[in-house]
Structure formats: C-alpha cells, structure tokens
Amino acid sequence: MFETVQTPPPFVIAAFYHFFDFPDFEAMRMSLYDRLNALGIKGSLLITAEGVNSTMAGTRGAIDAFLDYLQNDLIGAPVTWKESYADYQPFGKLRVRLKKETIGIGEPVSMKRFGQYVEPKDWNALITRNDVVIIDTRNDYEVNLGTFEKAIDPNIPNFKHLPQWTRDNAELLKGKKVATFCTGGIRCEKYTSWLIDQGIEDVYHLKGGILQYFEDVPVEQSLWQGECFVFDERIAVDHHLQPSQTAVLCLHCDHALTAEDQQQASYVKGVSCPHCESDVRHAHDRPPTQKRPGRIKF
C-alpha cells in the first residue's frame, strides 16, 4: 500500500509584530513595499518608529524569504510569528502603511514594563482561578464570534476605548489578578503596559495570543468557545486554524456574524443584521449590492 502524501495549501498566512527602534521607518516604506511586491506577498504591514505589525500571505518561499530579511537585516533579532494556511490568497492587495503607533491605545504608554507572559499550556490553569479577572481586549465584532469561558467582554468598538472602560470598571479589578488576551498578543503588550502605568501591577497576558493557544492546546482541553476573528477574507478560523465555514460580515455595518446571527429575522444580506437593525443609519434606500464604506478592510 502506498501512503498518500498531503500537499500543504499553497498560501502561508503569517501574523507577527515586533517592538524595536525604527527611526527611519518612513524612508523605508517604498523599499519594503517593493520587496514584498516582488515576492508576490499581499496583506498589510504597519511600520512605526516603535516597530512593525503585520498579517501577510504568500507562498512558503516568499514568506520565508521576507521573514529572513526582517530578522537578519531589518531588525537584527528573532521575530515570533503565527502561521496558518489557505487554498487561496486571502488578501486583495498589498499595503505598507505609516503609523504613529504599532497599535494605538489612545493614551500615552511608557512601554517600559509589560505584564507577565503566560504560555498557552499554562493559560487554562490561570483563568480558572477564583482570584483572576479575564479581559478580552478585542473589539466587539471580534468577540461576537468567540471568546474564552468566563472572559469579560468590554463591548468596545475600538481598542482605544479600553482605557476608559477600565477606569469605569475599576471595582472589577480590585484585589484581582488581571489576565488579558487578544488575537496575536500585540494589544495585550500595550494594554498591560498601560495597566502598570496606572498602578495595576498583577497583570498577565497570553503569549502569542489566541492563535498560539489554538496551535499549542488540544481541542479536547480547550476553554475557547466559538471561532476567532481574523482580519482577512477568511473572517474567522476554528481551533484547528482552518477557515470558518459559517462566519460572514454584515455588509451594512461590517459586524462579524455567527450562524445564529444569520438566522435572525433582522439579518437581511447586504442590508441589516442583529447588531445594526436599531441604528438610525440603517434606515436607507441603498440597494443591497451597493458598496458601503466599511470598517474592516482586507
């Protein structure tokens, strides 16, 4: 009997961020774009004076070539990234963007100290403790598709609203350990640094984020419920890092929708969903196929 050799999907999706001093980031924009474009890579690379933040997709060889350049030539240090795979290119174009911050929290952050990293294999033990508050630092439309058991959803439309939510809910954190998580880890780096700046010292964050948890923790041991939103045309991935078969975006408000959301009477494809039916901006005569400005760009 001959064994069947499975061919890996042709596209590798690499998600990464790295904080480092990058004073000439503006001057590097076009050369980075040209290098990525020559490799046939698409996706988004954000560059700032404090580092890089990216999700990009390309062939195995292309991704390996760029990450090798990134680590050995541009940064000069190892970079950790998360990989998943697709049978199709999940991004429509390549963007290299200049930003003031790698990820913006809306307030000054020292970025001198961060919360304690928690390896995915140790995460379950931490978040099942009675003296721990678990905060999902992602946006509302991301949380809608899935989150950890017992996690608090701040119900924020944007990461920049998290500091004010924290001040408004200070009693929830009093005397507790604070465990935070996000998709790949970058938001938690910034949020835990901000928390420490505010005098909240006993803070932790999931190393590598949800995507690393999916990779390292067996499904049968998982405390994750649902799927994980991703910023590309897959919309979400399951615990096996496979593209969602059910999640869609509302074409009116760009909210991510579960299969259950799509069964609601308020869901009319291209017109409305349970998350925007009461929004006054929903009352319009726009044909369902008309392009809308949209919040989420792929």
Side-chain angles (χ1 to χ4, degrees):
M1 295 290 291
F2 293 99
E3 291 186 4
T4 301
V5 178
Q6 291 188 336
T7 303
F11 289 98
V12 178
I13 301 143
F16 60 88
Y17 69 92
H18 194 82
F19 290 106
F20 68 101
D21 290 330
F22 194 5
D24 57 343
F25 74 100
E26 293 177 305
M28 288 290 295
R29 181 184 184 182
M30 284 311 302
S31 64
L32 286 168
Y33 181 93
D34 290 342
R35 181 178 293 271
L36 288 163
N37 191 48
L39 290 168
I41 292 173
K42 294 183 180 180
S44 178
L45 174 64
L46 307 182
I47 57 175
T48 77
E50 65 179 13
V52 296
N53 181 16
S54 177
T55 303
M56 57 179 58
T59 64
R60 174 81 275 169
I63 292 296
D64 286 348
F66 184 74
L67 290 172
D68 181 70
Y69 162 76
L70 189 73
Q71 296 180 97
N72 295 317
D73 298 308
L74 185 64
I75 297 175
V79 173
T80 300
W81 67 90
K82 273 72 65 182
E83 288 187 0
S84 52
Y85 309 91
D87 293 322
Y88 57 91
Q89 171 57 265
F91 294 102
K93 61 177 66 175
L94 169 65
R95 295 184 178 93
V96 178
R97 297 175 173 175
L98 303 176
K99 293 286 186 178
K100 291 182 179 179
E101 299 176 82
T102 308
I103 185 73
I105 199 170
E107 298 186 10
V109 183
S110 67
M111 299 299 290
K112 294 180 179 177
R113 296 174 59 201
F114 305 96
Q116 299 179 51
Y117 284 116
V118 180
E119 296 288 344
K121 64 182 178 61
D122 301 320
W123 182 248
N124 288 357
L126 174 66
I127 66 173
T128 51
R129 292 176 50 154
N130 292 328
D131 61 342
V132 172
V133 171
I134 313 128
I135 300 177
D136 193 329
T137 66
R138 300 172 303 149
N139 302 332
D140 53 7
Y141 56 88
E142 300 173 76
V143 181
N144 189 55
L145 293 185
T147 191
F148 281 106
E149 291 180 16
K150 299 181 180 179
I152 294 173
D153 173 14
N155 195 29
I156 53 173
N158 186 282
F159 184 53
K160 291 180 179 180
H161 290 78
L162 194 54
Q164 188 57 51
W165 176 90
T166 305
R167 284 188 284 266
D168 292 343
N169 293 274
E171 286 299 315
L172 288 175
L173 314 185
K174 207 170 193 180
K176 299 282 188 178
K177 300 179 185 298
V178 181
T180 71
F181 65 93
C182 57
T183 308
I186 188 169
R187 279 177 274 192
C188 295
E189 292 260 12
K190 202 131 208 186
Y191 181 51
T192 58
S193 184
W194 181 86
L195 286 172
I196 292 171
D197 286 350
Q198 310 309 306
I200 302 172
E201 297 275 341
D202 207 358
V203 293
Y204 305 79
H205 53 108
L206 176 59
K207 188 175 182 180
I210 301 160
L211 298 180
Q212 194 65 54
Y213 182 88
F214 284 0
E215 192 170 326
D216 294 353
V217 177
V219 174
E220 57 271 18
Q221 297 175 19
S222 178
L223 296 182
W224 180 265
Q225 299 174 326
E227 297 181 314
C228 178
F229 182 91
V230 289
F231 287 89
D232 60 59
E233 291 183 357
R234 295 171 298 168
I235 301 175
V237 294
D238 62 21
H239 200 107
H240 299 286
L241 295 172
Q242 295 301 305
S244 174
Q245 300 300 307
T246 58
V248 301
L249 293 181
C250 171
L251 297 183
H252 175 61
C253 70
D254 270 341
H255 206 288
L257 307 177
T258 63
E260 290 74 20
D261 288 332
Q262 296 167 58
Q263 297 301 314
Q264 302 300 311
S266 57
Y267 175 64
V268 180
K269 186 176 180 180
V271 176
S272 64
C273 78
H275 303 280
C276 66
E277 63 170 333
S278 60
D279 190 334
V280 294
R281 294 171 297 178
H282 157 59
H284 56 74
D285 298 322
R286 187 196 64 207
T289 55
Q290 182 178 328
K291 186 176 181 180
R292 81 283 185 252
R295 172 174 57 196
I296 300 167
K297 307 292 186 185
F298 295 139

